[in-house]
Amino acid sequence: MPTRPTILRCLAGAALLPLALVTPAWGQPTAAPPRAGEEPSTLCAPAGALRGAHGQLAVVSICAGSGTPQLTVSAPASCRRAGVRVRYTCRTEGTWTAHRAGRTLATGTLPGAQEYPGPGTYDISADVRVRSAPAGVDLRGTVEATLTVTAPKVKPTHAVTVDRTTLRRNATTTLTYTVRRDSDEGDGSARLGLIGDAATGVRIATADARCVNPLVGRYPSKTRLRHSLDCALTALQPGHPETVKVRVTVGPDCSTVVSKLGYWVPQGQSLYTGRMLAGPTLTCG
């Protein structure tokens, strides 16, 4: 069905709205002045109207959440069709891209999240498909909004470094990863993970008893992923980093090796208290 997207741009207020009170910011230019140390919150702005050839209409907003380690983007929509007295619910899917000062900062799927780059004015565009339930509206197009977020970037509590970032082809490279905890809050537990491209035949190994190649398959399978390593660290303290020595063997085909660190944050007995930190990416020289 042919569609004709219309793009509407607007600059939302400078301060973030409390999460519990968020509604699309339909032409509300004034807002409270920004506050230091803002709580996690969400800002929405009108982004565009998608129209179909037979009276279909989808009005789309773009919303961005900040104040956490991630920038979360969604694109809620309301739907209707001319001459049809039906209460539609709308499903929005697609992709988004965020720019700041002309530079691409993050991309993802809708809804989705990427690392929060910090406060500033973001131009966020989204290629969306909006479908209704019951059926009657099915539209595609590009929408766009400008949002100014003021929440400060959360200060990292952990860090992962490595003594070199270049692997040698047809050779084994020995590397030392250093994991650091800089916050007095939380505890000394964290999990460091490394993974390469399995198709290249890369192998990651270590003599460190805290680390294993992950076990895969159903019991009693003893198959392990030789291109991946999982290390459980339990003695991280401020002023006392942990180090892990690993050996990465690369053949003629290059493999990047990525790393990440998972750890708890102090929120009592709340269920969702884990965070993930991206570590260095190794490439071939």
Side-chain angles (χ1 to χ4, degrees):
M1 182 178 295
T3 62
R4 180 171 59 86
T6 300
I7 298 178
L8 174 65
R9 296 174 59 87
C10 79
L11 179 63
L16 296 180
L17 302 177
L19 178 61
L21 301 178
V22 168
T23 57
W26 295 104
Q28 299 178 6
T30 60
R35 299 176 290 111
E38 295 178 26
E39 295 296 321
S41 51
T42 301
L43 183 69
C44 295
L50 308 181
R51 302 177 187 274
H54 303 285
Q56 305 96 325
L57 174 66
V59 179
V60 186
S61 296
I62 288 179
C63 298
S66 65
T68 73
Q70 292 185 316
L71 175 72
T72 304
V73 177
S74 61
S78 61
C79 305
R80 66 176 182 267
R81 185 169 180 171
V84 178
R85 301 180 66 178
V86 174
R87 284 185 175 270
Y88 289 114
T89 59
C90 301
R91 174 190 179 95
T92 305
E93 57 192 46
T95 59
W96 61 273
T97 303
H99 297 84
R100 187 174 64 188
R103 186 168 66 93
T104 300
L105 293 183
T107 61
T109 57
L110 288 168
Q114 297 290 339
E115 182 180 356
Y116 178 51
T121 297
Y122 294 81
D123 296 313
I124 303 178
S125 61
D127 295 322
V128 299
R129 180 183 182 184
V130 181
R131 290 180 288 173
S132 67
V137 177
D138 189 345
L139 301 170
R140 298 175 185 266
T142 299
V143 296
E144 189 173 276
T146 300
L147 301 174
T148 298
V149 294
T150 58
K153 188 171 182 178
V154 176
K155 184 179 180 180
T157 60
H158 293 65
V160 183
T161 59
V162 66
D163 62 345
R164 65 189 68 190
T165 58
T166 303
L167 303 172
R168 293 174 295 164
R169 296 176 188 265
N170 296 306
T172 296
T173 305
T174 300
L175 309 108
T176 300
Y177 282 86
T178 300
V179 179
R180 195 178 72 240
R181 171 182 156 223
D182 298 321
S183 173
D184 290 326
E185 298 182 317
D187 56 39
S189 297
R191 177 161 289 182
L192 175 66
L194 313 176
I195 189 167
D197 182 356
T200 66
V202 62
R203 298 171 68 89
I204 305 176
T206 182
D208 197 315
R210 299 170 298 176
C211 306
V212 295
N213 295 103
L215 183 68
V216 293
R218 289 177 175 269
Y219 179 83
S221 171
K222 298 186 182 299
T223 302
R224 295 188 178 272
L225 299 180
R226 297 301 174 186
H227 65 282
S228 179
L229 195 67
D230 189 4
C231 303
L233 309 178
T234 58
L236 284 176
Q237 293 176 297
H240 179 71
E242 295 269 26
T243 60
V244 179
K245 288 189 176 182
V246 303
R247 302 183 305 277
V248 180
T249 302
V250 178
D253 296 327
C254 180
S255 171
T256 57
V257 174
V258 300
S259 58
K260 60 184 178 181
L261 183 77
Y263 58 95
W264 295 106
V265 292
Q267 293 181 10
Q269 292 182 318
S270 297
L271 179 59
Y272 299 104
T273 61
R275 288 185 182 168
M276 195 69 70
L277 174 70
T281 296
L282 311 183
T283 59
C284 293

